Every structure is written in C-alpha cells, then in structure tokens.
Amino acid sequence: TSQSSVTANVWNGEAVHWLKCINVEKEVRKENSTMKNGKEVLSLLGDKVSSSILRDGDSTTIGKKNVLVRQCCQTPQRFRQALFYCHCEATLEALDSTFSFRDAVLNHLLDCESQLQHIESCVHQAATEDCMDLYGAEANSMPPPFLFTFQSICSDARLSSIARSLVSATKLPNANFQRLLQKTFAAMAKDGLLSLYDPAEDLYLLVSCGRVLEPFLKRSKGMDDGGFFRPNIPEPFFIRSVPRKRLNELASHLTTQQSDSV
C-alpha cells in the first residue's frame, strides 16, 4: 500500500508539472507572440514562481519606474547605472540562463572603458574619433567610448574559462562554446548594449550611458554641457539600435537631474 501511495504521488507530481506546461503553452498561443525576454516569461509563470525568481523585487514595477529605482530583479547596480539596463529586458540565451557569462563580459567591457581617459590611449583611435564625431563630441572633450573586437573577447582567458564551464556538461562542449560567444554578442547587440561599428574590422562599440547615450541626448537637444546652443545632429546608426523605451527613460532621467540641480 505504501509503495502504491509513493507511485501515485510521483504520477500526481508529473501530472501537475505537465498540466502547468500545457497552461503556459496555451497562454503563449493566446498572446500569439514569441517570448523575447525575462519580463514576458515571468508574466506566464504565476505570482509564486515569479516572486521566487525576483526575490525582493516586484514584476509590477517593470515599465513603471526607470531602471535605476525599480526593484524588479537582481541585476547589479553597476549595469543599471552604466547601461540603463537590467536582466528583465535581456534577450534570453539557454546556455547562459543565469546571465553569468553575459554579466562577466559586461563587467570586463566596463572595466576596459573606465581605463580609457584620453583618445590617445585608444587601440582603435581613428575609429573612436569618427564615432565621437557622429554623436557630436569633440576628441579629448570627454573620456572616449570603448571600441573593441569580437576576437579580443574570445581570446580573454578568464571569460573563456567562464564560458567553457557553462557548456562543459553539454553533449557538444566545443560547438556550444562558440555558440555561447556568438549568441551572447548577438543578444547584447539586439538589446542595444553593443553595436557592430565596423563589420570589415569586426569592431564593436560599447553603448554606455556616460560615453555614448548621454552626450548624444544632450547634443540632440542642441545644447552642449556649458548650456550653449549648437546645431542639431542626425541620429547615428548605433543609437538607433537602442530600444526607444530606454532612450526615453534616460532622457527623462537627465531632464529630472538637470531640474533638481537648478
């Protein structure tokens, strides 16, 4: 009898699991859309599951407050401040479901960016000058943006070690290692964190707030940091890759900051 009870419980657990899966599938079909990011998936998992993922966060704040103040997920504050981004907005990758490799790449890129204070120290100096000119900043008027190659990330020993540890238990670790690198870059480009600046040179731009987005937004209003009028500029291609919602939230945040400082 006890064995029958255990077996029944196992089957009941299996049944509940698959019924939940069927319910999620129905909800997805009802929405007639494709899951793109964590925010969309959470809405289908129910309050209990989503709250366990968010811990102290709250999915209802997503989209209602800017990324600096909302408590929606466990994204490091560094990414929120430097990129105006969080994991809720991230394109998912099955090989890196916890974003451990993606976060390591972003930390590495932000570390490299922070070390650049003058354009003369840039490895890709000519491209950096051209990039700054596109969003209306003069060379040496501010710390330069960070441009880098895909290969420089692939050849970094620490990042490679993290990526290989994530795929080591898969059936095709070498193939999945390459896939993880490529899919991570594609996801970050889709999310507007990176932009392929020069395909011929395999050169990418880190689209950070302080060195790309904020200078462009200030200049797009026809003003420089000194408050003097300057001619408006067209939107560069790497700005167009950034989600409109993020640009609008950042612009609103900058306006609030400016009002508070007066």
Side-chain angles (χ1 to χ4, degrees), residues 74-119:
Q74 301 300 305
T75 303
Q77 194 65 21
R78 184 187 195 187
F79 299 160
R80 294 174 183 266
Q81 293 175 341
L83 303 165
F84 227 71
Y85 146 93
C86 76
H87 291 159
C88 297
E89 303 166 358
T91 299
L92 302 177
E93 168 50 46
L95 292 172
D96 185 23
S97 58
T98 61
F99 302 106
S100 56
F101 178 64
R102 192 176 313 187
D103 285 359
V105 172
L106 287 175
N107 272 315
H108 174 78
L109 295 177
L110 289 172
D111 287 344
C112 291
E113 181 190 69
S114 67
Q115 294 170 14
L116 292 178
Q117 296 302 316
H118 304 285
I119 202 163

Side-chain angles (χ1 to χ4, degrees), residues 62-196:
I62 300 172
K64 296 182 180 179
K65 298 179 181 179
N66 78 46
V67 73
L68 298 181
V69 296
R70 70 184 181 221
Q71 294 182 334
C72 52
C73 63
Q74 301 300 305
T75 303
Q77 194 65 21
R78 184 187 195 187
F79 299 160
R80 294 174 183 266
Q81 293 175 341
L83 303 165
F84 227 71
Y85 146 93
C86 76
H87 291 159
C88 297
E89 303 166 358
T91 299
L92 302 177
E93 168 50 46
L95 292 172
D96 185 23
S97 58
T98 61
F99 302 106
S100 56
F101 178 64
R102 192 176 313 187
D103 285 359
V105 172
L106 287 175
N107 272 315
H108 174 78
L109 295 177
L110 289 172
D111 287 344
C112 291
E113 181 190 69
S114 67
Q115 294 170 14
L116 292 178
Q117 296 302 316
H118 304 285
I119 202 163
E120 291 79 13
S121 59
C122 296
V123 175
H124 309 281
Q125 185 173 335
T128 304
E129 290 178 350
D130 291 341
C131 178
M132 294 181 75
D133 185 59
L134 285 174
Y135 61 79
E138 297 179 4
N140 286 324
S141 64
M142 55 169 282
F146 180 51
L147 284 94
F148 61 98
T149 62
F150 176 73
Q151 186 56 39
S152 69
I153 299 300
C154 296
S155 60
D156 184 88
R158 179 175 169 275
L159 294 177
S160 293
S161 175
I162 294 172
R164 289 195 180 280
S165 68
L166 287 172
V167 300
S168 60
T170 63
K171 292 183 179 180
L172 300 169
N174 290 332
N176 283 330
F177 170 73
Q178 293 298 328
R179 170 186 162 156
L180 178 56
L181 294 176
Q182 294 166 1
K183 290 286 189 178
T184 298
F185 261 65
M188 290 193 293
K190 182 178 179 180
D191 295 339
L193 305 178
L194 307 180
S195 178
L196 181 56

Side-chain angles (χ1 to χ4, degrees), residues 214 217-219 221-228 250-262:
E214 289 182 19
L217 288 172
K218 290 176 180 178
R219 181 61 192 277
K221 295 178 180 179
M223 305 294 287
D224 63 14
D225 285 334
F228 298 103
L250 179 57
S252 176
H253 174 67
L254 294 174
T255 300
T256 301
Q257 272 190 328
Q258 188 176 21
S259 300
D260 291 344
S261 63
V262 174

Side-chain angles (χ1 to χ4, degrees), residues 27-59:
E27 290 295 326
V28 171
R29 288 181 178 176
K30 188 188 300 181
E31 294 292 330
N32 193 27
S33 62
T34 302
M35 292 293 99
K36 297 178 181 178
N37 55 41
K39 174 186 173 183
E40 295 179 0
V41 173
L42 284 173
S43 66
L44 298 179
L45 296 179
D47 293 338
K48 184 176 180 180
V49 177
S50 62
S51 63
S52 69
I53 294 171
L54 295 168
R55 296 180 191 173
D56 296 329
D58 179 7
S59 61

